[in-house]
Amino acid sequence: MTSLICGSLAYDSIMMFGGRFSEALLADQLHKINVAFLVPEMRREFGGCAGNIAYNLKLLEGDPLIMATIGQDGGSYLARLDRLQISRRCVRTIDNAYTAQAFITTDANSNQITAFHPGAMTFSHHNKVADAGPVKVAIVAPDGRDGMLQHSVDCVDLNIPFIFDPGQGLPMFNGAELEHFIELATYVAVNDYEAELLTERTGLTLDQIAKRVNALIVTRGEQGAEIFADGQRIDIACVPADKVVDPTGCGDAFRAGLLYGITNGMDWATTGRLASLMGSIKIAHQGGQNHTPTRQEIEDRFQKAFGYRF
């Protein structure tokens, strides 16, 4: 049962600056900044919401199908998808653009300066959901603005239930556009900050949003998550992590658990618990796609945490 994952593929270049930005940036000279940071530590990660979600769904032995755009420099990402046996038949290469990428510099106080280049992601609306063929469920995750709008409409036209997951793309849309997404979506998934922004921009309360969709999922970090469905609120506890290393991609891992649960007809409590477990596994590893538990190990950890198997 295929899950269509509409979203971004990106490279993340992460650099570590041993000093403090506050010592290099003079408050009275911010109008003419010209500074360089020595970054002896650097790593490059495969990222993007679609890539991260698909990676985690594959760990669960699901069937992810990525719909995304990648640039002229995307060969290594395509090769990685081939190695992972994740279909890339709906990944379009944009020859005159670079793959979306983030350049993140972190200082000794964990402050970050990030530059994000959308690149090929801007052309995501060139992909059409109809080209994916039969799918059980879809997710519209952060991507090019026009692509998110187009893919949502496509899913409705094709009677494909989908999760609206605005993520960091939420600020691109005004209240009317966000309300339109909610009207189209089958499910809405946001974190607590995004939930506040969503309610502020639309003027809708969480209860009002929940009544317009089959389920509203709000993640709250170490405080767990809430699922509003069938007129009730289901509280999902946070699964303690082996260690906390890097939160990058935890939300994407959580959404992979949601997709797996929906696709396989699980009840919402089990779906939420599996999603929570996937986030817990991810946070113990650097980057969004470097954790490698087997399906059996995930099942065993689920049973240990909740007392039954999913």
Side-chain angles (χ1 to χ4, degrees), residues 227 234 236 266-274 302 308:
I227 299 178
I234 303 168
I236 304 298
M266 294 179 177
D267 61 77
W268 281 112
T270 301
T271 297
R273 289 165 182 164
L274 177 59
F302 186 94
Y308 67 100

Side-chain angles (χ1 to χ4, degrees), residues 225-302:
E226 299 163 347
I227 299 178
F228 300 83
D230 302 321
Q232 60 180 324
R233 189 187 80 183
I234 303 168
D235 292 321
I236 304 298
C238 179
V239 178
D242 292 339
K243 54 184 176 179
V244 177
V245 175
D246 180 10
T248 304
C250 285
D252 297 327
F254 187 100
R255 281 145 181 77
L258 292 180
L259 285 171
Y260 187 88
I262 292 169
T263 301
N264 288 277
M266 294 179 177
D267 61 77
W268 281 112
T270 301
T271 297
R273 289 165 182 164
L274 177 59
S276 181
L277 174 63
M278 294 303 293
S280 173
I281 292 172
K282 205 291 342 148
I283 203 171
H285 299 79
Q286 198 78 262
Q289 300 179 27
N290 293 319
H291 49 299
T292 57
T294 64
R295 164 62 186 252
Q296 186 63 54
E297 289 170 341
I298 295 172
E299 289 187 3
D300 291 344
R301 292 189 60 163
F302 186 94

Side-chain angles (χ1 to χ4, degrees), residues 17-233:
F17 170 54
R20 294 173 173 80
F21 294 143
S22 59
E23 297 171 352
L25 301 173
L26 304 177
D28 61 344
Q29 298 294 314
L30 295 181
H31 62 290
K32 53 177 182 180
I33 296 175
N34 186 5
V35 297
F37 301 110
L38 180 65
V39 288
E41 295 181 44
M42 175 179 171
R43 70 179 193 275
R44 197 182 199 203
E45 302 282 2
F46 294 97
C49 293
N52 292 343
I53 294 170
Y55 179 84
N56 283 277
L57 189 55
K58 191 68 176 181
L59 292 177
L60 286 164
E61 297 184 359
D63 182 24
L65 175 61
I66 295 173
M67 178 164 283
T69 45
I70 205 162
Q72 57 186 283
D73 57 340
S76 60
Y77 213 137
L78 296 177
R80 174 175 174 78
L81 294 178
D82 288 342
R83 290 194 300 272
L84 294 171
Q85 297 184 316
I86 295 175
S87 174
R88 58 180 178 91
R89 64 181 176 84
C90 289
V91 177
R92 180 187 296 265
T93 298
I94 307 299
D95 292 329
N96 61 345
Y98 290 105
T99 300
Q101 44 203 297
F103 301 90
I104 306 166
T105 303
T106 304
D107 76 356
N109 286 348
S110 296
N111 297 306
Q112 292 185 325
I113 294 176
T114 301
F116 181 74
H117 174 64
M121 194 176 79
T122 308
F123 301 89
S124 61
H125 59 286
H126 290 187
N127 285 325
K128 306 302 178 186
V129 173
D131 295 336
V135 297
K136 179 78 172 181
V137 68
I139 184 169
V140 176
D143 204 352
R145 172 189 164 84
D146 292 344
M148 293 179 71
L149 289 165
Q150 181 65 53
H151 297 151
S152 297
V153 172
D154 287 350
C155 284
V156 172
D157 289 344
L158 294 166
N159 294 315
I160 299 172
F162 77 96
I163 301 172
F164 174 50
D165 171 29
Q168 65 266 33
L170 195 153
M172 295 189 296
F173 304 102
N174 62 34
E177 290 167 330
L178 290 169
E179 190 167 359
H180 182 56
F181 275 119
I182 293 168
E183 293 296 337
L184 295 174
T186 318
Y187 317 95
V188 172
V190 289
N191 64 26
D192 47 2
Y193 171 77
E194 294 155 4
E196 289 189 20
L197 188 56
L198 186 61
T199 56
E200 177 185 303
R201 292 204 172 181
T202 62
L204 300 171
T205 65
L206 290 181
D207 285 339
Q208 289 172 326
I209 295 172
K211 289 177 181 177
R212 299 190 183 194
V213 294
N214 288 11
L216 167 65
I217 302 97
V218 181
T219 60
R220 300 190 181 279
E222 62 185 15
Q223 296 178 6
E226 299 163 347
I227 299 178
F228 300 83
D230 302 321
Q232 60 180 324
R233 189 187 80 183

